[in-house]
Amino acid sequence: MTHKIELLAAEIANLKASNTEEVEQLRIKYLGRKGIMNDLMEAFRSVAPEEKKVLGQKINALKQGLTQKINELKENVAVEANCGDAIDLTRTPYPIKLGTRHPLTIVKNEIVDIFARLGFTLAEGPEVEDDWHVYSSMNFADDHPARDMQDTFFIEARPDIILRSHTSSVQARVMETQKPPIRVICPGRVYRNEAISARAHCFFHQVEGLYIDTNVSFTDLKQVLLLFAQEMFGAETQIRLRPSYFPFTEPSAEMDISCHLCGGKGCSFCKHTGWVEILGCGMVDPAVLEANGINSKEYTGYAFGMGIERITNLKYQVKDLRMFSENDTRFLDEFKSAN
Ligand code: DAH
């Protein structure tokens, strides 16, 4: 009998099953009412009394081992059956993919931060505006070409309501509600009826600056813009102002910075001039102050406006304006480290 038990023990150790049915068959074969263990118990009854103790222990151990083995097989086939959708809790988790700030947002924040340090506060206005705030209050003549359908988007059935074509409209909004001294920086989206290409888009972004107080001079404007240019493009940056014309400023100027790619020596980026244009500016036209309820005898002011895409292009050399609005994550991911 001892020999039989040993043979069975070896047999049990090698039992295999590939599904629940097979495990059940094994259970019946060994542990069932008419199973092998039962036969063994029957045989045990007729064993000589002096052998019972030792053999009884062996049979018990065999039964324990058998029960354990059957349970193990049961568990294994259950795990294998679920393997397709099992969750492996020991696996290293996937890293969470963080989004990135849009390059235009990065640059906008940088511009606003620089002027905030100079005491400018943030102001915003609506993108759907009326003719008064965009054009009339900004001293545009009734027949100014910018008012043309070619440049401006009109809201159907409301010819006086338009999509603002520049952030200068926020100047008017601020003057309406604030008394001088006024010192605001106004970022926002603007719209123009342009065919979309690498160099033009029907919407883009601007930042407007406005400073109104007693005794504000052109020198103040120049100093603030120099500071801005050096903060934005590096301490060695130089500026130059060229006379220009805008309806809402007098005198008006366009500002260039020394080309930061070639250090002003001349390269293909600055078309070998050593300078690149970055903004328009000037002293607020007294007619604009008066139209917006500010006494032009008491107060003077300066204003400036720049395109955020333009500044971003200068900083990061983005060749195609359309990249900014295509949501291509390969492009956006490049700005991950920018801040
Ligand atoms: N509004 C002008 C544009 O869209 C930019 C500009 C020029 C704004 C001169 C100003 C300024 O405030 O003084 O082209």
Side-chain angles (χ1 to χ4, degrees):
M1 191 161 197
T2 309
H3 183 58
K4 198 172 180 192
I5 293 173
E6 276 164 9
L7 282 181
L8 271 173
E11 191 178 311
I12 287 164
N14 287 322
L15 288 183
K16 286 193 175 52
S18 47
N19 54 47
T20 350
E21 287 91 76
E22 283 179 23
V23 179
E24 184 58 9
Q25 275 161 19
L26 288 176
R27 192 191 64 77
I28 294 168
K29 179 177 169 193
Y30 288 94
L31 293 168
R33 262 199 300 133
K34 292 176 187 155
I36 291 172
M37 276 315 288
N38 219 38
D39 295 348
L40 206 60
M41 292 306 281
E42 287 289 330
F44 179 69
R45 276 195 211 144
S46 47
V47 160
E50 64 274 19
E51 285 180 49
K52 275 212 160 134
K53 191 175 177 205
V54 179
L55 275 178
Q57 280 171 354
K58 286 195 171 152
I59 292 176
N60 270 344
L62 182 72
K63 194 173 178 189
Q64 240 175 33
L66 185 60
T67 317
Q68 200 181 330
K69 182 73 188 183
I70 298 280
N71 284 341
E72 253 170 44
L73 289 174
K74 231 185 243 175
E75 242 169 69
N76 286 352
V77 294
V79 168
E80 267 163 40
N82 284 330
C83 227
D85 45 34
I87 301 169
D88 180 359
L89 295 174
T90 62
R91 224 175 107 167
T92 316
Y94 289 113
I96 297 167
K97 198 175 178 315
L98 291 177
T100 56
R101 268 191 217 288
H102 193 282
L104 294 177
T105 306
I106 294 171
V107 171
K108 178 200 79 181
N109 288 346
E110 216 176 325
I111 298 170
V112 170
D113 282 352
I114 292 170
F115 284 103
R117 290 203 290 278
L118 296 168
F120 286 74
T121 53
L122 193 77
E124 283 174 316
E127 289 175 22
V128 181
E129 257 295 6
D130 51 33
D131 178 276
W132 167 258
H133 291 94
V134 179
Y135 294 129
S136 299
S137 70
M138 286 291 116
N139 202 32
F140 280 76
D142 285 344
D143 58 355
H144 192 282
R147 295 184 126 137
D148 204 329
M149 301 258 284
Q150 251 114 54
D151 288 311
T152 307
F153 285 116
F154 290 83
I155 304 296
E156 226 173 4
R158 285 292 303 271
D160 54 325
I161 304 292
I162 58 180
L163 296 182
R164 69 180 178 195
S165 54
H166 58 179
T167 44
S168 301
S169 56
V170 189
Q171 288 191 31
R173 291 265 163 201
V174 169
M175 285 187 250
E176 247 167 32
T177 51
Q178 296 182 29
K179 296 259 156 298
I182 289 171
R183 201 156 26 174
V184 288
I185 189 85
C186 326
R189 180 174 288 178
V190 301
Y191 300 83
R192 283 184 203 175
N193 193 359
E194 302 247 17
I196 297 169
S197 71
R199 301 182 59 88
H201 211 294
C202 60
F203 67 81
F204 53 98
H205 302 80
Q206 291 186 328
V207 175
E208 193 82 14
L210 177 67
Y211 182 22
I212 302 172
D213 203 347
T214 49
N215 296 319
V216 177
S217 71
F218 200 92
T219 319
D220 299 326
L221 170 64
K222 198 174 165 187
Q223 189 58 42
V224 160
L225 292 180
L226 174 64
L227 240 149
F228 163 71
Q230 294 184 336
E231 288 281 305
M232 197 73 197
F233 295 101
E236 66 296 337
T237 310
Q238 295 183 330
I239 62 166
R240 79 173 180 190
L241 292 161
R242 285 177 288 103
S244 185
Y245 172 79
F246 299 103
F248 34 89
T249 43
E250 183 58 36
S252 304
E254 271 166 312
M255 186 174 99
D256 300 339
I257 57 166
S258 51
C259 178
H260 60 298
L261 288 188
C262 61
K265 283 191 211 73
C267 65
S268 62
F269 187 75
C270 59
K271 301 197 185 77
H272 303 282
T273 62
W275 298 95
V276 283
E277 186 196 319
I278 69 160
L279 55 79
C281 61
M283 299 306 291
V284 179
D285 194 306
V288 171
L289 293 175
E290 294 295 337
N292 290 286
I294 291 175
N295 185 349
S296 63
K297 304 250 167 3
E298 196 180 347
Y299 294 105
T300 49
Y302 64 69
F304 55 86
M306 66 188 103
I308 304 180
E309 278 81 351
R310 174 99 184 124
I311 307 282
T312 309
N313 284 347
L314 292 178
K315 275 200 94 125
Y316 299 112
Q317 284 92 54
V318 179
K319 299 254 155 48
D320 189 331
L321 265 183
R322 291 169 290 196
M323 298 294 283
F324 290 126
S325 49
E326 275 170 0
N327 287 335
D328 184 336
T329 50
R330 289 167 303 178
F331 167 69
L332 297 173
D333 277 349
E334 288 184 40
F335 297 88
K336 215 169 232 168
S337 53
N339 76 24

